[in-house]
Amino acid sequence: MDSTSSPEPGLRPLLQFTRALTGDRGLAEDVVQEVLIRLHARGDRISDIDHLGAYVRRMAVNEYLSWGRKWFRQRPTPVLPEPPPQSDHADRHAEHDWLRTELAGLPRRQRAVLVLRYYAGLTDAEIADELGCSAATVRSHASRALATLRIEITRLQELPT
């Protein structure tokens, strides 16, 4: 490896050296990966290194020697924890379709208030400006619309599945 090229031309000899050093191909690849990440982080200072090949080999040796100390703190487990359950994509679309249907059943002003509040993120005063009414009227429309949606949700939950 010279200082003007990427480390790739010397990658195979570095991997062979590190494999001989570690005695394990997987560990050698991990060590080389860490060395290349650290070498890349040096960026523009690589050109200042006179014997890049020797420098990288020394980095590999140091990384291998510190590997045990680094991984000593991390305990691998044979069984990974279960990932948190994710909702079904189809269920989410069904809920969105249901919400659109229910919003369409609301009076226009109530629907406009809910969309401006929850979708656009406007405050009551901004919604009042937008609709040309008072903030109290906005709160009244929102309250009635949410009550209507709550009644519908309650009714759906009471239906037998």
Side-chain angles (χ1 to χ4, degrees):
M1 288 186 290
D2 65 341
S3 61
T4 59
S5 67
S6 69
E8 292 171 357
L11 187 58
R12 182 175 297 265
L14 180 61
L15 272 169
Q16 290 170 346
F17 168 77
T18 311
R19 185 169 183 194
L21 180 67
T22 64
D24 179 2
R25 179 183 176 148
L27 180 57
E29 290 172 352
D30 289 343
V31 167
V32 168
Q33 179 177 340
E34 289 293 322
V35 165
L36 293 177
I37 289 170
R38 289 184 181 183
L39 188 64
H40 180 72
R42 290 189 155 284
D44 56 341
R45 295 180 291 177
I46 292 176
S47 60
D48 297 339
I49 301 170
D50 293 329
H51 303 286
L52 187 59
Y55 182 78
V56 172
R57 271 194 314 275
R58 183 65 188 166
M59 284 179 73
V61 170
N62 289 341
E63 183 66 28
Y64 170 67
L65 293 176
S66 69
W67 194 262
R69 291 188 303 265
K70 178 195 301 186
W71 292 104
F72 180 74
R73 293 184 299 273
Q74 297 180 4
R75 303 273 185 216
T77 60
V79 178
L80 293 175
E82 287 292 321
Q86 295 185 0
S87 63
D88 186 15
H89 189 64
D91 288 342
R92 193 169 58 218
H93 278 288
E95 288 173 4
H96 286 209
D97 286 344
W98 175 84
L99 183 58
R100 279 188 207 100
T101 302
E102 292 304 314
L103 284 173
L106 292 174
R108 289 178 182 238
R109 283 221 176 250
Q110 289 179 9
R111 182 176 12 164
V113 166
L114 290 185
V115 170
L116 289 170
R117 178 183 278 180
Y118 295 107
Y119 185 77
L122 299 181
T123 65
D124 289 347
E126 292 168 330
I127 295 170
D129 260 359
E130 195 81 20
L131 298 179
C133 62
S134 71
T137 303
V138 168
R139 288 191 294 275
S140 173
H141 284 314
S143 176
R144 288 182 184 145
L146 291 173
T148 302
L149 292 177
R150 252 185 245 111
I151 290 169
E152 187 59 29
I153 289 172
T154 304
R155 188 183 65 76
L156 285 175
Q157 289 174 343
E158 291 172 353
L159 291 176
T161 54

